[in-house]
Amino acid sequence: MTTQHNLDALFPTLAEIPEPYRPGAPIEQRDYLVNGQLVRWDGPLASVRSPVFLATEQGDQQVLLGSTPLLDADAALAALDAAVAAYDHGQGAWPTLRVAERIQHVEAFLVRMREQRTAVVKLLMWEIGKNLKDSEKEFDRTCDYIVDTIEALKELDRRSSRFELEQGTLGQIRRVPLGVALCMGPFNYPLNETFTTLIPALIMGNTVVFKPAKFGVLLIRPLLEAFRDSFPAGVINIIYGRGRDTVSALMASGKVDVFAFIGTNKGASDLKKLHPRPHRLRAALGLDAKNPGIVLPQVDLDNAVSEAITGALSFNGQRCTALKILFVHEDVLQPFLDKFCAKLAQLKPGMPWDAGVALTPLPEPGKVDFLNGLLADAVEKGARVINPGGGAHRESFFYPALLSPVTPQMRLYHEEQFGPLIPVVPYREVEEVIDYVLHSDFGQQLSLFGNDSAQIGRLVDAFANQVGRININAQCQRGPDNFPFNGRKNSAEGTLSVHDALRTFSIRTLVATKFQADNKALISEIIRNRESSFLTTDYIF
Ligand code: G3H
């Protein structure tokens, strides 16, 4: 193991954990939210285990955090029926509510959500191993996203409150809901990424069935009452269980109108195929990625290394936007590797609540074996682990490994590692890198590191039709949330941002009439007498 960090002392004893972060008794969650009620589930439960182990006299012991309901297909379908009934073919109270009133419901939810910050942040740390700073950031960023969404909807509604006259036709165009949305988020951002679809879906007037991610499940529990109390019955339903028992049945029912899913492209394809009326299903998908970082020969190496480290290793590389392969020009390869190793050695392994910790245990069972398999395959085919201690592991913890030279024969060249392995591919001709991007199955983002304007300009043009975002001298990332977040090929379907998500979960409806006296009088009267929620010039401040 690395001389800098001793994994023997990685896991704490219970007494060593600061009091506010100590785990309580396991939480046995039996309730889930259907039709405005917290319903009790008396069937089987799924255990929720932490990636964190405790040092005990019997050795490392994995912490049991609690359990959640393992619903079956019937229970999931009952939740879907509640959402279908609340939507009521678009005639329900929620889809017909005025925008200003829907906003008030979401604002009420946000107030209640903020009260649960401490509980949710603590569970983020315990359930997925995200460090305290990033867990707090995830919570706060999600609240900010809700605030921004409300503002964006007000702006959208203001623009829709006017009539347009085109070629003798008077029209008012508004965005209206699509129907029932099924929202599923990923374990790496179990709060944020889920809510970036859930909240826009709700606020646009859709009704929702939400199934939490495979890890980061208990952290939704503190929000169940807030959901129950802030929305009319059936508008938001929250279910638990295995996807194959629950979500498959929902999709096969044909009653889902919008499918918002963050996960693998295979998972998304399998579920989409179950829907009997594919043309009636709109999908918003965030999927696999293998974002390359490309280090050019003329470069500010310190900045490139610093961005590549955070790009590759924030939350242990478990971000869809992580830099998952680095192409480094041969002229700067050795200094790049040296600087990378030096900086990597400064990253502190530990428990999520430890001050300044950067590297933490991984939540997926079997993940360490999977990473070991990728590493062994690369080493067998000629790569070296460059950093001291790279690949050392203990239970759920895997110390990052910088690997070079990585070649097309290795799994790491193609497969998404979603973890702390950093493959470096040395190159001489930039065409080799362009070729990789053109033929990759993924097309989310990439990063260019260099300061030769001619070369950067040429590469921007080469890659503009390949990925959704090109970052210059910066790591890949989703934010700021007002910018479009999407991907090509197997990396995404649709575009999300504060602004785009409102469009994703709605469709424009136009009310039109010939611009003549009797019609003008009729429309004026409807507006004056406030006889329609759609035909109105109300302006939300
Ligand atoms: O896992 C994918 C996330 O959308 C990435 O978001 O770039 O802000 O970490 P981030």
Side-chain angles (χ1 to χ4, degrees):
M1 177 50 209
T2 158
T3 47
Q4 291 90 350
H5 309 294
N6 184 0
L7 289 195
D8 293 340
L10 180 77
F11 292 114
T13 63
L14 188 59
E16 282 167 346
I17 301 174
E19 209 280 324
Y21 305 127
R22 250 176 240 166
I27 305 164
E28 187 186 274
Q29 181 187 339
R30 286 202 169 266
D31 34 20
Y32 61 108
L33 181 62
V34 175
N35 205 23
Q37 305 281 332
L38 291 183
V39 178
R40 184 184 160 85
W41 170 252
D42 287 318
L45 301 174
S47 298
V48 179
R49 290 178 203 287
S50 175
V52 173
F53 286 64
L54 292 181
T56 73
E57 283 175 3
Q58 291 76 45
D60 295 341
Q61 304 246 314
Q62 190 166 17
V63 176
L64 177 69
L65 296 173
S67 47
T68 52
L70 262 182
L71 300 188
D72 55 20
D74 287 345
L77 286 166
L80 179 62
D81 285 344
V84 169
Y87 191 68
D88 191 16
H89 303 278
Q91 306 299 299
W94 186 249
T96 54
L97 207 58
R98 286 177 190 258
V99 168
E101 290 176 67
R102 282 208 298 264
I103 287 175
Q104 283 168 8
H105 284 270
V106 174
E107 284 172 339
F109 171 76
L110 181 57
V111 170
R112 296 280 302 272
M113 176 174 164
R114 288 191 199 274
E115 292 167 3
Q116 300 301 328
R117 183 176 188 267
T118 308
V120 174
V121 165
K122 184 172 171 184
L123 282 163
L124 269 167
M125 291 193 288
W126 276 100
E127 282 195 88
I128 62 165
K130 189 169 279 192
N131 70 34
L132 176 60
K133 191 166 130 274
D134 287 346
S135 295
E136 289 175 337
K137 195 163 126 199
E138 176 162 354
F139 189 92
D140 296 339
R141 177 181 175 187
T142 307
C143 294
D144 292 346
Y145 192 95
I146 297 174
V147 171
D148 290 350
T149 297
I150 291 170
E151 281 313 308
L153 179 55
K154 285 181 181 171
E155 181 53 35
L156 183 66
D157 195 75
R158 283 176 202 134
R159 280 206 301 276
S160 315
S161 69
R162 54 192 281 273
F163 281 76
E164 292 176 34
L165 185 58
E166 276 293 331
Q167 298 174 34
T169 300
L170 180 71
Q172 189 173 29
I173 306 164
R174 281 193 186 282
R175 298 205 74 100
V176 296
L178 291 162
V180 175
L182 170 61
C183 296
M184 297 170 67
F187 81 80
N188 62 337
Y189 283 94
L191 186 75
N192 182 263
E193 289 237 306
T194 318
F195 279 42
T196 60
T197 61
L198 177 65
I199 296 295
L202 283 172
I203 209 165
M204 291 312 288
N206 303 280
T207 60
V208 173
V209 177
F210 157 37
K211 186 169 115 51
K214 59 179 172 175
F215 314 110
V217 191
L218 283 170
L219 61 87
I220 300 298
R221 177 65 192 86
L223 302 174
L224 285 192
E225 283 85 357
F227 275 119
R228 179 195 62 192
D229 300 342
S230 308
F231 296 97
V235 168
I236 168 80
N237 305 277
I238 304 181
I239 61 166
Y240 297 84
R242 290 187 204 96
R244 60 178 174 276
D245 298 336
T246 55
V247 181
S248 301
L250 303 188
M251 291 298 275
S253 75
K255 295 178 189 169
V256 173
D257 302 295
V258 199
F259 177 45
F261 174 87
I262 321 281
T264 64
N265 74 86
K266 175 161 185 333
S269 304
D270 290 348
L271 285 168
K272 274 179 79 175
K273 276 184 217 147
L274 294 174
H275 199 288
R277 304 183 192 104
H279 62 282
R280 285 175 58 168
L281 181 72
R282 182 177 292 186
L285 310 177
L287 307 170
D288 323 48
K290 184 85 178 171
N291 293 346
I294 301 160
V295 181
L296 298 164
Q298 196 178 311
V299 62
D300 172 349
L301 216 44
D302 288 326
N303 175 65
V305 167
S306 159
E307 291 289 319
I309 284 259
T310 37
L313 290 175
S314 299
F315 193 34
N316 311 295
Q318 301 167 113
R319 291 162 60 228
C320 61
T321 46
L323 287 174
K324 298 197 178 103
I325 188 161
L326 301 177
F327 289 88
V328 182
H329 194 273
E330 286 173 3
D331 286 357
V332 290
L333 177 66
Q334 200 51 53
F336 179 87
L337 294 176
D338 293 344
K339 282 175 187 282
F340 199 104
C341 284
K343 231 174 153 78
L344 174 46
Q346 291 167 13
L347 297 185
K348 182 177 160 188
M351 295 302 106
W353 45 84
D354 292 343
V357 78
L359 307 169
T360 52
L362 311 173
E364 289 175 284
K367 188 60 177 259
V368 167
D369 291 344
F370 168 75
L371 295 171
N372 269 329
L374 289 175
L375 185 144
D377 170 77
V379 168
E380 192 191 315
K381 291 171 183 157
R384 282 187 309 114
V385 176
I386 308 290
N387 60 313
H393 49 88
R394 184 181 182 100
E395 308 291 4
S396 53
F397 183 88
F398 190 94
Y399 189 75
L402 177 68
L403 287 143
S404 179
V406 165
T407 64
Q409 288 67 43
M410 300 170 190
R411 287 172 57 200
L412 254 180
Y413 188 85
H414 310 275
E415 284 182 42
E416 179 175 13
Q417 64 272 41
F418 212 75
L421 290 175
I422 311 108
V424 171
V425 184
Y427 72 91
R428 173 123 301 269
E429 303 301 333
V430 78
E431 279 62 33
E432 299 166 38
V433 188
I434 295 175
D435 201 55
Y436 177 87
V437 175
L438 262 55
H439 294 98
S440 170
D441 252 353
F442 309 110
Q444 192 200 60
Q445 298 190 16
L446 57 78
S447 292
L448 294 174
F449 297 102
N451 47 33
D452 175 341
S453 62
Q455 193 164 32
I456 295 280
R458 185 169 86 83
L459 288 174
V460 164
D461 290 353
F463 294 137
N465 296 345
Q466 306 303 321
V467 293
R469 172 165 165 167
I470 298 165
N471 302 278
I472 298 177
N473 292 322
Q475 61 157 318
C476 298
Q477 61 181 43
R478 174 175 177 149
D481 285 324
N482 282 309
F483 279 168
F485 178 53
N486 61 14
R488 289 164 171 260
K489 301 176 181 170
N490 279 346
S491 285
E493 184 173 333
T495 299
L496 290 178
S497 74
V498 168
H499 165 97
D500 289 295
L502 296 176
R503 284 153 181 81
T504 297
F505 291 97
S506 62
I507 186 166
R508 280 175 302 173
T509 293
L510 163 66
V511 175
T513 188
K514 283 197 183 135
F515 192 59
Q516 55 195 42
D518 50 351
N519 289 336
K520 281 194 273 179
L522 176 67
I523 301 284
S524 298
E525 202 162 341
I526 292 172
I527 291 170
R528 196 170 43 249
N529 297 338
R530 304 179 61 77
E531 286 163 331
S532 167
S533 300
F534 187 105
L535 282 176
T536 163
T537 50
D538 280 0
Y539 193 88
I540 308 179
F541 291 100

